[in-house]
Amino acid sequence: VLDIGTTKIACLIGRTETDGTLRVLGFGWQKARGVRGGNVVDLGEAVGAIRTCVGQAEDMADIRLRSVTVNLTCGQPESRLYNVQWAVGGRQVEDRDIRGVVNEGRIRTANDGRDAIHAMPQHFAVDATDQVEDPRGLFCSTLGARLHIIDAASTALRSLGACMARCDLEIAELVSAPMAAGLSTLVADERELGCTIIDMGGGTTGMAVFADGQLLHTAQLPIGGLHVTKDLASGLSTSINHAERLKT
């Protein structure tokens, strides 16, 4: 897993044990370069920092990576909700119908010049029956779905892909950073009863809203801890390093 932030880049290499738990085999940490507000602004600098970070993790784990899961902070990620209707024709709902509904949401996102990162059905409707969690096996004429799409600008994602290619790595999967923060810190009860998690990074602040065990909304603001540090340095007429220590 590769976490590309504004102030730091972190890499974790893990292995799934037989009981399903994850064991960390190696990690790397590097001060971020060439990244601002979650976006790559200097390809050469970013590639150098990522290579160094990944190399540290590879040496510790004694593994060479070909692909990584990368957090999504670039491309102004947004949450969008779509109501999709899918004709079934009176037969049983099958897996291909679910895939058709999800693909319809992805197509709508692509028409706006953005790429869908996550397409998550919140609930389904089987004809007049609403709030269906799993419609497979049920008979209906029309399958309805409320889709939660998290997307990002296509050009920014291509720039990220080019950066990873220069590091000789493929992007196995992109994961919304606020969603990952929520899944890693909230317990099942919190996600079920309702909770908002705020993750303040160096250059961006992510927010994720969970309820009924689902991710309902995400947002990202171009403001982070670095802005607080600079405000302190300016207001107190002191150095950045001193302001950082005061903030901490």
Side-chain angles (χ1 to χ4, degrees):
V1 178
L2 188 64
D3 182 1
I4 303 174
T6 302
T7 55
K8 75 176 187 298
I9 297 173
C11 179
L12 282 173
I13 299 176
R15 180 177 65 202
T16 304
E17 301 290 7
T18 54
D19 60 356
T21 59
L22 290 174
R23 177 187 175 193
V24 176
L25 303 178
F27 70 91
W29 185 96
Q30 188 72 16
K31 183 178 179 180
R33 303 191 305 272
V35 181
R36 182 175 299 165
N39 294 283
V40 177
V41 296
D42 188 321
L43 197 60
E45 288 287 328
V47 167
I50 292 171
R51 279 186 177 274
T52 302
C53 177
V54 173
Q56 291 173 350
E58 289 178 330
D59 290 343
M60 182 179 292
D62 194 23
I63 293 174
R64 290 295 171 260
L65 300 179
R66 295 182 179 178
S67 61
V68 289
T69 298
V70 184
N71 72 323
L72 174 69
T73 57
C74 66
Q76 299 80 47
E78 293 182 3
S79 279
R80 300 171 187 261
L81 293 176
Y82 293 108
N83 291 313
V84 178
Q85 299 290 325
W86 186 260
V88 178
R91 57 175 173 78
Q92 279 185 317
V93 177
E94 301 174 356
D95 286 334
R96 60 189 174 97
D97 298 309
I98 306 296
R99 289 194 297 269
V101 167
V102 172
N103 289 335
E104 177 67 21
R106 291 181 177 274
I107 290 171
R108 293 188 189 181
T109 299
N111 291 337
D112 296 330
R114 300 174 67 84
D115 288 347
I117 306 303
H118 302 289
M120 298 168 285
Q122 292 185 342
H123 58 80
F124 295 93
V126 178
D127 289 336
T129 305
D130 201 2
Q131 300 296 327
V132 177
E133 292 188 4
D134 188 352
R136 289 173 294 184
L138 301 178
F139 289 84
C140 66
S141 298
T142 303
L143 176 66
R146 186 171 178 83
L147 284 179
H148 177 199
I149 304 285
I150 301 177
D151 61 17
S154 302
T155 50
L157 295 180
R158 287 200 292 268
S159 296
L160 178 62
C163 179
M164 300 307 299
R166 289 198 181 189
C167 298
D168 299 320
L169 293 169
E170 295 180 359
I171 299 178
E173 188 176 3
L174 284 168
V175 177
S176 167
M179 182 179 79
L183 294 177
S184 65
T185 57
L186 301 178
V187 298
D189 280 352
E190 290 172 322
R191 295 196 298 269
E192 183 66 30
L193 294 173
C195 188
T196 297
I197 182 166
I198 298 175
D199 178 18
M200 178 177 279
T204 59
T205 296
M207 180 179 69
V209 181
F210 289 84
D212 298 326
Q214 295 182 331
L215 176 64
L216 302 183
H217 181 73
T218 63
Q220 183 171 292
L221 304 175
I223 299 172
L226 199 58
H227 297 83
V228 178
T229 301
K230 290 182 177 180
D231 284 349
L232 285 172
S234 176
L236 300 175
S237 299
T238 187
S239 67
I240 292 290
N241 288 337
H242 189 203
E244 180 67 26
R245 288 198 297 272
L246 285 172
K247 182 190 71 174
T248 304

